[in-house]
């Protein structure tokens, strides 16, 4: 005999189509280079388009109406309203589809000075734009906020950084005469500076304003139902205690969705300033000893993370964490054949 098991009341399910198109990626680029007086100049255009990204709308949302509360969500679901006797077995149904898309376009400018007189320089600037649907590779639940309008979620990527600037230099100090020359010569100094504009965050209500019963999406998908922006400039004074202006946002009316796209907030920019100092000492024969001193965040710059963006949080708009402070490390490497 077959084992028997009762269907759970308002169980959670994932529905996968029989034929899913595989995700595809198209890439293209154009590059122009020229050397001028020992300097290599380059301009590059980079682009790609992703299609058939997986996204997950809710197939059995709760229907808003008079008397709707979070307590009667399951009784208001589409299947429950159509057939209360059978619909009571179905709660959230994550409906996987392959209609998501993504686009990336970038201008990449580069200036390079090849090694000459113990000095080399590499500098570049990237101006880019990334747009995407809330795609997923892991089916853990719905990722689309409004099941009736999934295209509302097509927006800048969470990792979208419009500007990235890099400057790296490698310089070997010349060896002079005498004891002082022997001590100060042949050291290699390699500073690295990287500035990038901030990545992005979504302003959310933190609750189910639409009363549709869709579980909040993970933070990388926009973090759930979004707030309504009522002031053009959403930012405060830029300080950690007032990065976002709370008065610039409000919650949508019950049963409705905000048209504010996800990842509309640009987080603080970051400045990375590192340096590596090294020298190799000959010990004898084919043996050598290399000393290396690395300093990360030399200037001890405060690089802040994104602010709290849930409207129902008392810390909304405040930045509560930052990246690493100055860190140093030393190393010795002994080489022999």
């Amino acid at each position: 005999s077959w084992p028997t098991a009762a269907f759970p009341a308002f169980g959670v399910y994932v529905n996968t189509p029989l034929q899913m198109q595989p995700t595809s990626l198209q890439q293209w680029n154009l590059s122009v280079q020229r050397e001028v007086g020992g300097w290599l100049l380059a301009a590059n255009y980079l682009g790609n388009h992703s299609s058939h990204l997986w996204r997950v709308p809710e197939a059995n949302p709760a229907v808003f109406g008079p008397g709707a509360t979070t307590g009667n969500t399951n009784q208001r679901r589409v299947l429950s309203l159509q057939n209360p006797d059978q619909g009571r077995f179905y709660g959230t149904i994550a409906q996987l589809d392959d209609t998501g898309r993504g686009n990336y376009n970038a201008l990449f400018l580069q200036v390079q000075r090849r090694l000459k007189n113990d000095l080399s320089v590499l500098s570049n600037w990237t101006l880019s734009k990334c747009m995407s649907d809330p795609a997923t590779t892991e089916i853990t639940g719905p990722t689309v906020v409004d099941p009736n309008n999934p295209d509302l979620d097509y927006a800048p990527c969470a990792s979208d950084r419009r500007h990235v600037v890099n400057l790296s230099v490698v310089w070997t100090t010349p060896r002079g005469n005498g004891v002082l020359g022997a001590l100060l010569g042949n050291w290699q100094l390699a500073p690295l500076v990287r500035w990038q504009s901030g990545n992005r965050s979504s302003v959310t209500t933190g609750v189910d304003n639409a009363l549709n019963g869709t579980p909040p999406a993970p933070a990388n998908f926009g973090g759930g139902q979004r707030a309504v922006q009522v002031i053009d400039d959403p930012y405060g004074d830029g300080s950690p205690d007032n990065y976002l202006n709370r008065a610039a946002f409000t919650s949508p009316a019950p049963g409705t969705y905000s048209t504010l796209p996800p990842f509309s907030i640009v987080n603080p920019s970051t400045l990375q300033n590192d340096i590596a100092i090294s020298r190799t000492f000959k010990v004898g024969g084919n043996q050598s000893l290399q000393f290396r001193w690395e300093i990360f965040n030399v200037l001890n710059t405060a690089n802040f993370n994104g602010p709290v963006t849930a409207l129902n949080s008392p810390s909304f708009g405040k930045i509560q964490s930052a990246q690493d402070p100055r860190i140093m490390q030393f190393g010795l490497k002994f080489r022999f054949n």
Side-chain angles (χ1 to χ4, degrees):
S1 64
W2 292 97
T4 60
F7 277 93
F10 300 110
V12 178
Y13 300 92
V14 173
N15 188 30
T16 305
L18 293 177
Q19 294 183 343
M20 288 284 292
Q21 294 290 333
T23 299
S24 62
L25 175 66
Q26 302 174 23
Q27 294 179 302
W28 53 88
N29 64 78
L30 175 66
S31 180
V32 178
Q33 296 182 350
R34 182 169 184 177
E35 187 169 1
V36 179
W39 292 83
L40 179 64
L41 311 178
N44 308 274
Y45 164 71
L46 310 172
N48 66 56
H49 173 74
S50 301
S51 56
H52 301 302
L53 297 178
W54 293 4
R55 60 181 184 178
V56 191
E58 168 64 68
N60 190 30
V63 178
F64 179 78
T69 67
T70 55
N72 58 21
T73 295
N74 287 321
Q75 289 73 25
R76 294 185 291 105
R77 291 189 181 275
V78 171
L79 294 180
S80 184
L81 293 176
Q82 290 178 354
N83 187 332
D85 181 59
Q86 298 299 314
R88 61 190 172 90
F89 297 115
Y90 298 94
T92 289
I93 301 178
Q95 175 62 56
L96 183 67
D97 74 37
D98 57 8
T99 59
R101 75 283 197 199
N103 292 283
Y104 176 80
N105 294 277
L107 172 66
F108 179 70
L109 303 179
Q110 185 178 38
V111 178
Q112 180 178 358
R113 183 185 190 273
R114 297 175 180 177
L115 184 63
K116 182 179 181 181
N117 298 328
D118 297 320
L119 176 69
S120 66
V121 179
L122 176 62
S123 178
N124 55 63
W125 168 51
T126 304
L127 172 64
S128 64
K129 184 178 182 179
C130 176
M131 300 285 290
S132 179
D133 279 307
T136 181
T137 55
E138 225 176 287
I139 310 171
T140 57
T143 60
V144 172
V145 173
D146 183 353
N148 298 313
N149 193 359
D151 288 339
L152 270 179
D153 290 349
Y154 182 72
C157 307
S159 58
D160 179 54
R161 295 180 185 268
R162 295 297 165 89
H163 300 276
V164 178
V165 178
N166 292 289
L167 173 63
S168 62
V169 177
V170 178
W171 177 53
T172 302
T173 60
R175 182 178 178 86
N177 298 321
V179 177
L180 188 61
L183 291 175
L184 299 181
N186 290 334
W187 286 91
Q188 187 177 82
L189 309 179
L192 169 66
V193 178
R194 179 184 180 92
W195 177 85
Q196 53 188 356
S197 55
N199 57 358
R200 293 176 171 266
S201 295
S202 298
V203 178
T204 62
T205 64
V207 297
D208 183 8
N209 287 88
L211 294 171
N212 69 352
T214 301
N220 57 317
F221 299 131
Q225 296 175 21
R226 295 181 289 276
V228 175
Q229 185 172 324
V230 294
I231 297 178
D232 289 340
D233 184 4
Y235 301 98
D237 59 17
S239 67
D241 287 333
N242 186 29
Y243 188 78
L244 291 179
N245 180 6
R246 178 61 178 81
F249 301 96
T250 188
S251 296
T256 66
Y257 298 91
S258 170
T259 58
L260 183 69
F263 306 118
S264 61
I265 296 301
V266 179
N267 295 327
S269 61
T270 58
L271 176 64
Q272 175 184 340
N273 44 90
D274 308 330
I275 189 170
I277 303 172
S278 62
R279 182 176 176 181
T280 300
F281 300 89
K282 290 289 186 181
V283 178
N286 294 324
Q287 299 176 352
S288 64
L289 182 67
Q290 184 187 70
F291 168 79
R292 189 173 183 85
W293 177 22
E294 295 178 332
I295 310 173
F296 305 95
N297 195 1
V298 177
L299 302 179
N300 204 25
T301 304
N303 288 315
F304 295 106
N305 296 320
V308 177
T309 54
L311 281 184
N312 64 339
S313 170
S315 300
F316 176 84
K318 297 182 179 181
I319 297 176
Q320 299 182 316
S321 62
Q323 299 178 30
D324 291 334
R326 182 189 298 119
I327 297 176
M328 293 187 288
Q329 63 182 25
F330 302 88
L332 286 174
K333 180 187 292 187
F334 180 66
R335 293 182 178 180
F336 61 93
N337 293 328

